Amino acid sequence: MRTGLWAFLLLAAYPAASNPILGLPIDCTLGETCYIQQYVDRDPGEGVRDFTCGKLSYDGHKGTDFAVPTLEAMRAGVNVIASAAGVVRGVRDGVEDRVYGPDNAEAVKGRECGNGVVLVHEDGWETQYCHMKQGSVRVRSGERVERGDILGQVGISGKAQFPHVHLSVRRDGAVVDPFDTGSDATCDQVESSLWQEPITYAAGGLIDAGFTDHVPEFDAVQEGTAAAGHLPSDAAAIVLFVLAYGGRADDTLRLTIDGPTGRFMAQDMKLDRDQARLFRASGRRAGSGDWPEGTYSGEIILLREGQEIDRITTRITVK
């Protein structure tokens, strides 16, 4: 359960009359069932800078990544939708959904976008939607679509390491950041946004959390299958884990567990480096007797320079 304590920056600048007005490219609720993992890289050199001068990007990133929490959520089906009315210029389908890595880099070469769609709009504008689920693309070249029409579903095809849709916006072939169309990121002042509605900026956050009886593998956490439904009273351990994004060096993850008899565990974990996606886990091993039966509540808080960035809670029953 999320309590909704996010670091927000409200974007109130409106598009110029000649610019397209964009809706979200994904059918979800930002901050609840999806989140923005990375933005356009505004640094012209080898550094990284998003439109707020934060670090939610990577060198040379040319779009905005709208992500779903886990592979399990992806498989359940999350629609990719047209951000604006336009005509389909091109499509690709048939690329396998799998986490990108050294073992499949050669197979993905030249198809880094994976399964995707390109839409052409007026006045030289176009939008591109990448990494869609294999077999989900439902539009054809030459077809006219309206804002909100379903193009396919979120996947992890092409050069993708987490399930998301990568939205690129271009005008006359040049990349445009939909959050700030100015030529330079001004950090504290947005020149013009292309979004139909203001979108909140989260400086990092917590994606998913759960309990299990061991420290889980990262693959299981990303799959969304690591959490146990309940634990027996003779479980080998009670472990709380969390999946997070946008971690910065010196951030603190504060993990606490409260059980039927009071405070069960508390630990602060400081991050030693920037990490786009990460997980942490903490808990206690069983002693000589069984665990007290009842409800165990876990809470994780992400802190940056002493300020709370995000908070998430979860529960499990021991019986």
Side-chain angles (χ1 to χ4, degrees):
M1 178 184 298
R2 182 174 303 284
T3 59
L5 296 178
W6 289 64
F8 286 138
L9 173 64
L10 293 178
L11 308 181
Y14 290 97
S18 61
N19 294 347
I21 299 176
L22 304 179
L24 291 181
I26 182 173
D27 186 10
C28 64
T29 302
L30 280 174
E32 295 181 16
T33 57
C34 64
Y35 62 99
I36 298 177
Q37 169 88 50
Q38 289 156 333
Y39 297 83
V40 173
D41 177 21
R42 304 298 299 260
D43 191 294
E46 296 181 356
V48 174
R49 184 174 76 243
D50 65 31
F51 75 101
T52 72
C53 291
K55 295 184 177 181
L56 283 181
S57 188
Y58 62 84
D59 188 27
H61 192 231
K62 298 179 180 180
T64 307
D65 293 341
F66 294 82
V68 297
T70 63
L71 290 165
E72 187 175 56
M74 179 202 83
R75 294 187 183 105
V78 180
N79 289 332
V80 174
I81 53 182
S83 285
V87 176
V88 179
R89 182 170 69 81
V91 301
R92 180 195 289 130
D93 204 341
V95 180
E96 181 183 8
D97 286 293
R98 60 179 297 187
V99 177
Y100 176 81
D103 60 332
N104 65 332
E106 190 61 32
V108 168
K109 191 173 182 180
R111 301 190 298 171
E112 286 82 0
C113 177
N115 306 310
V117 175
V118 177
L119 299 182
V120 177
H121 313 284
E122 296 179 354
D123 297 324
W125 290 92
E126 64 181 21
T127 53
Q128 183 173 10
Y129 310 75
C130 294
H131 312 307
M132 292 162 66
K133 186 188 297 182
Q134 184 179 17
S136 76
V137 178
R138 61 166 67 183
V139 294
R140 298 180 180 180
S141 293
E143 182 178 345
R144 170 89 183 169
V145 298
E146 301 300 325
R147 180 189 295 121
D149 283 355
I150 298 173
L151 305 177
Q153 292 192 329
V154 172
I156 190 170
S157 59
K159 192 174 182 180
Q161 295 184 314
F162 54 92
H164 69 287
V165 58
H166 167 104
L167 174 70
S168 288
V169 181
R170 296 183 288 268
R171 189 175 195 187
D172 298 328
V175 173
V176 177
D177 184 350
F179 286 87
D180 186 352
T181 61
S183 58
D184 296 310
T186 53
C187 305
D188 58 353
Q189 184 177 357
V190 173
E191 180 176 314
S192 179
S193 163
L194 298 181
W195 299 111
Q196 181 181 25
E197 300 290 341
I199 294 180
T200 56
Y201 173 88
L206 305 176
I207 302 169
D208 197 19
F211 281 100
T212 184
D213 61 359
H214 61 282
V215 176
E217 297 292 331
F218 190 31
D219 286 350
V221 175
Q222 294 207 101
E223 280 278 349
T225 59
H230 71 276
L231 291 176
S233 59
D234 62 352
I238 296 179
V239 175
L240 174 66
F241 69 86
V242 63
L243 179 64
Y245 76 96
R248 299 274 296 276
D250 295 325
D251 282 358
T252 297
L253 283 168
R254 178 165 294 162
L255 284 70
T256 58
I257 303 175
D258 290 307
T261 60
R263 180 56 49 92
F264 178 84
M265 185 278 299
Q267 184 176 1
D268 282 0
M269 298 180 171
K270 181 166 284 192
L271 304 186
D272 60 0
R273 65 187 188 280
D274 294 353
Q275 288 184 271
R277 227 173 195 235
L278 65 141
F279 97 101
R280 294 290 187 273
S282 187
R284 283 172 50 185
R285 291 192 178 93
S288 57
D290 289 348
W291 300 111
E293 295 188 356
T295 299
Y296 289 71
S297 300
E299 180 180 73
I300 304 97
I301 301 173
L302 174 62
L303 299 166
R304 181 168 298 161
E305 297 179 353
Q307 299 296 312
E308 181 174 321
I309 297 296
D310 200 7
R311 178 190 300 236
I312 194 170
T313 60
T314 185
R315 292 184 177 183
I316 196 166
T317 299
V318 173
K319 57 183 179 180

